[in-house]
């Protein structure tokens, strides 16, 4: 008799009715949204902070480059010494003092610039100050050498190489970033899902094993059915929890934005400010428009279907290994010796995806690892946005399915013996004997 549906139902209901599962399902989005709100609020306070920087320029040629901005005010000090400027800055509680020492050699000015402050200045502030000084000194040097700065500015050119496939489809550099973002998000999501819910399956097996409930269940159910029911039931519970997280998190973010006026868009960084300025460039705006066109030209149907199949296949493959490890040990402490061989291929897949697929998605290394079943779910998901032939996707998935079937058989043999073993820490040699049994 096939008890698999009953086992799946039991595992699913046991998980979703568990108090800790219910609490974490609803508390986790609250904690996450609260953290995001705090970070957004603190970031907003940091961005709104007004700073006053005193400038003592003994050279007399750099003072005009320090123009006030929305959050930074520059106070130019003249006819004073460094020590008096320090005391004045401290008494006025200014953010800091920028001191440019006078030098007979103009080329030596850069080594005579100092910034004094009570607090350590941020990287963005220091980079901004350095950029202003460097540009002014470079222009002065060119001017002293008799170079016409207007001609240099007029001679500067920029070029954007138009990209187009042989079929006439226009693409851009933004297009590559979009593909990379989709592939990276898909691979990372699978990686985290395996880590979180694979451990849940393993702990579930260990819990039933230590409570001796398994001795009653195993008398009427085949080990492979019990293992598959546990994997599928726990997976469905995980999907339910993940869906609730996404839904509840989205609702909470909307409520938070409406009531408290805190928006995730307040998470500004210096890099985002640079991007906002770049957006005003017509050429960059055109690139973004081409990127949007490329997004709509992506094979969305292929991406969604491939994501579903490789996501499910990869998760089931690793879940069976987690279940086998749970059956082989008595507590979570003993699982450490068996977890490394499971996690290493998964970590390797992420590194290959990041450092190889990005550079050459159709290269030998990327292609080979997209067919190896323990790395293909992540690597293939990262390759598909760049255009992978259907036959390669089908072949890779077929290899993944065959490996999953073999892994289930392999794990079931460990599960069959290990599920009834107590009080002994197994070794790799003993696991080999269980497989041969």
């Amino acid at each position: 008799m096939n008890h698999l549906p009953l086992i799946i139902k039991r595992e699913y209901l046991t998980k979703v009715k568990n108090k800790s599962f219910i609490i974490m399902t609803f508390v986790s989005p609250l904690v996450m949204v609260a953290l995001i709100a705090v970070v957004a609020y603190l970031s907003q306070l940091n961005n709104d902070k007004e700073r006053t920087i005193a400038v003592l320029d003994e050279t007399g040629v750099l003072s005009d480059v320090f123009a006030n901005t929305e959050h930074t005010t520059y106070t130019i000090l003249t006819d004073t010494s460094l020590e008096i400027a320090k005391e004045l800055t401290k008494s006025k509680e200014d953010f800091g003092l920028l001191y440019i020492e006078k030098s007979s050699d103009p080329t030596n000015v850069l080594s005579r610039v100092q910034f004094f402050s009570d607090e350590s200045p941020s990287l963005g502030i220091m980079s901004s100050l350095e950029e202003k000084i460097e540009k002014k000194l470079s222009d002065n040097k060119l001017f002293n050498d008799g170079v016409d700065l207007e001609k240099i500015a007029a001679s500067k050119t920029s070029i954007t190489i138009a990209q187009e496939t042989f079929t006439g489809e226009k693409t851009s550099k933004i297009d590559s970033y979009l593909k990379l973002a989709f592939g990276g998000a898909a691979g990372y999501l699978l990686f985290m899902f395996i880590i979180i819910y694979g451990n849940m399956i393993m702990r579930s097996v260990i819990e039933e094993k230590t409570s001796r409930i398994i001795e009653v269940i195993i008398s009427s159910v085949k080990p492979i059915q019990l293992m598959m029911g546990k994997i599928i039931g726990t997976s469905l519970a995980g999907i339910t929890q993940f869906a609730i997280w996404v839904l509840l998190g989205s609702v909470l973010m909307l409520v938070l934005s409406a009531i408290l006026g805190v928006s995730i868009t307040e998470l500004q960084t210096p890099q985002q400010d640079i991007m906002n300025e770049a957006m005003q460039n017509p050429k960059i705006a055109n690139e973004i428009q081409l990127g949007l066109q490329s997004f709509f030209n992506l094979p969305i149907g292929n991406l969604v279907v491939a994501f579903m199949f490789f996501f499910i296949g990869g998760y089931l493959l690793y879940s069976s290994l987690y279940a086998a490890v749970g059956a082989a040990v008595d507590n979570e402490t003993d699982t450490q010796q068996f977890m490394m061989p499971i996690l290493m291929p998964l970590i390797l897949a992420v590194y290959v995806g990041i450092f190889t697929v990005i550079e050459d998605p159709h290269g030998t290394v990327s292609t080979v690892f997209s067919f190896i079943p323990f790395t293909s779910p992540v690597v293939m998901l990262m390759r598909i946005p760049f255009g992978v032939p259907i036959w390669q996707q089908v072949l890779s998935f077929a290899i993944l399915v065959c490996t999953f079937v073999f892994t289930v058989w392999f794990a079931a043999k460990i599960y069959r013996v290990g599920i009834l073993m107590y009080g002994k820490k197994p070794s790799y040699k003993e696991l080999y004997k269980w497989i041969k049994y």
Side-chain angles (χ1 to χ4, degrees):
M1 183 178 177
N2 186 11
H3 297 283
L4 183 59
L6 294 176
I7 299 173
I8 294 174
K9 181 179 179 180
R10 172 187 174 275
E11 289 295 328
Y12 178 79
L13 294 178
T14 301
K15 290 291 181 298
V16 298
K17 291 181 179 180
N18 186 277
K19 290 184 179 179
S20 61
F21 182 90
I22 296 173
I23 292 174
M24 291 306 300
T25 299
F26 291 96
V27 170
S28 295
L30 292 172
V31 173
M32 185 60 65
V33 171
L35 289 176
I36 294 175
V38 170
V39 172
Y41 177 71
L42 295 177
S43 179
Q44 184 177 4
L45 288 180
N46 184 65
N47 290 330
D48 292 340
K49 182 180 180 181
E50 295 185 1
R51 302 179 179 88
T52 299
I53 298 177
V55 179
L56 177 58
D57 177 21
E58 294 183 348
T59 65
V61 297
L62 296 173
S63 301
D64 59 337
V65 304
F66 301 103
N68 295 336
T69 63
E70 183 180 359
H71 301 296
T72 305
T73 302
Y74 295 96
T75 303
I76 308 301
L77 304 179
T78 58
D79 300 328
T80 185
S81 65
L82 176 60
E83 294 302 322
I84 295 177
K86 286 183 179 180
E87 294 297 329
L88 183 61
T89 303
K90 291 177 64 177
S91 64
K92 295 174 61 178
E93 297 184 352
D94 289 344
F95 180 76
L97 169 66
L98 178 65
Y99 173 59
I100 306 171
E101 185 179 355
K102 186 175 181 179
S103 175
S104 57
D105 183 5
T107 60
N108 197 33
V109 172
L110 292 178
S111 63
R112 296 176 178 271
V113 180
Q114 292 177 281
F115 187 85
F116 301 92
S117 65
D118 289 330
E119 303 174 359
S120 179
S122 67
L123 180 62
I125 293 176
M126 296 307 298
S127 299
S128 176
L129 294 175
E130 291 170 354
E131 183 181 355
K132 294 176 186 296
I133 297 174
E134 288 173 357
K135 186 178 184 305
K136 181 63 175 180
L137 291 177
S138 298
D139 290 345
N140 287 347
K141 184 177 180 182
L142 291 172
F143 181 79
N144 293 333
D145 292 339
V147 178
D148 192 338
L149 298 180
E150 293 183 0
K151 289 184 177 180
I152 291 180
S155 65
K156 291 182 178 180
T157 58
S158 60
I159 183 173
T160 301
I161 300 177
Q163 302 178 41
E164 187 173 335
T165 64
F166 287 109
T167 59
E169 179 182 341
K170 293 183 178 181
T171 60
S172 66
K173 290 183 289 185
I174 303 283
D175 177 55
S176 298
Y177 296 144
L178 290 174
K179 294 176 180 178
L180 177 62
F182 180 89
Y188 182 76
L189 182 61
L190 174 60
F191 177 81
M192 294 304 300
F193 204 86
I194 289 174
I195 296 296
I196 295 173
Y197 295 105
N199 276 286
M200 183 184 292
I201 292 174
M202 183 178 66
R203 288 194 297 268
S204 176
V205 174
I206 295 175
E207 181 182 352
E208 287 191 350
K209 180 179 177 180
T210 53
S211 65
R212 303 298 178 92
I213 297 175
I214 200 68
E215 294 180 356
V216 179
I217 300 175
I218 203 70
S219 62
S220 58
V221 180
K222 294 181 179 179
I224 191 170
Q225 290 184 358
L226 183 60
M227 186 182 70
M228 286 301 301
K230 188 171 292 292
I231 292 174
I232 297 174
T234 304
S235 302
L236 292 175
I239 293 173
T240 302
Q241 186 180 56
F242 187 79
I244 294 175
W245 281 351
V246 173
L247 180 61
L248 188 58
S250 301
V251 172
L252 288 174
M253 287 299 297
L254 293 175
V255 172
L256 189 67
S257 300
I259 297 178
L260 301 180
V262 177
S263 174
I264 194 172
T265 57
E266 299 295 340
L267 295 172
Q268 298 290 328
T269 64
Q271 291 77 9
Q272 287 176 313
D273 294 335
I274 295 174
M275 286 297 296
N276 293 333
E277 294 178 3
M279 285 285 291
Q280 301 176 4
N281 189 319
K283 293 184 178 180
I284 296 180
N286 184 56
E287 283 285 327
I288 295 176
Q289 184 178 3
L290 289 176
L292 292 175
Q293 293 177 356
S294 300
F295 174 78
F296 291 110
N297 290 332
L298 287 174
I300 303 298
N302 182 20
L303 294 176
V304 173
V305 172
F307 174 78
M308 292 177 58
F309 279 100
F310 279 99
F311 188 92
I312 294 173
Y315 174 72
L316 292 178
L317 174 64
Y318 278 94
S319 295
S320 61
L321 296 177
Y322 272 97
V325 171
V329 300
D330 289 337
N331 54 73
E332 289 191 49
T333 304
D334 295 337
T335 63
Q336 302 305 314
Q337 61 174 327
F338 301 112
M339 292 306 300
M340 187 59 66
I342 296 177
L343 293 177
M344 282 303 295
L346 197 58
I347 296 173
L348 178 62
V350 174
Y351 275 93
V352 169
I354 294 175
F355 296 106
T356 305
V357 175
I358 293 175
E359 182 66 25
D360 188 6
H362 304 294
T364 302
V365 176
S366 301
T367 303
V368 170
F369 276 91
S370 66
F371 287 105
I372 299 176
F374 290 98
T375 58
S376 63
V378 174
V379 178
M380 183 59 82
L381 285 178
M382 298 184 74
R383 281 189 64 210
I384 287 175
F386 293 93
V388 178
I390 296 298
W391 71 265
Q392 289 191 16
Q393 300 180 37
V394 174
L395 178 59
S396 177
F397 183 72
I399 296 174
L400 178 63
V401 171
C402 292
T403 307
F404 166 67
V405 174
F406 172 77
T407 305
V408 169
W409 171 83
F410 168 85
K413 295 180 76 66
I414 297 177
Y415 196 89
R416 179 181 58 183
V417 179
I419 202 70
L420 297 176
M421 298 290 291
Y422 301 97
K424 185 178 182 182
K425 186 176 180 179
S427 62
Y428 284 102
K429 184 177 180 180
E430 290 180 323
L431 291 181
Y432 177 71
K433 291 181 179 179
W434 294 357
I435 295 172
K436 289 181 63 179
Y437 175 72

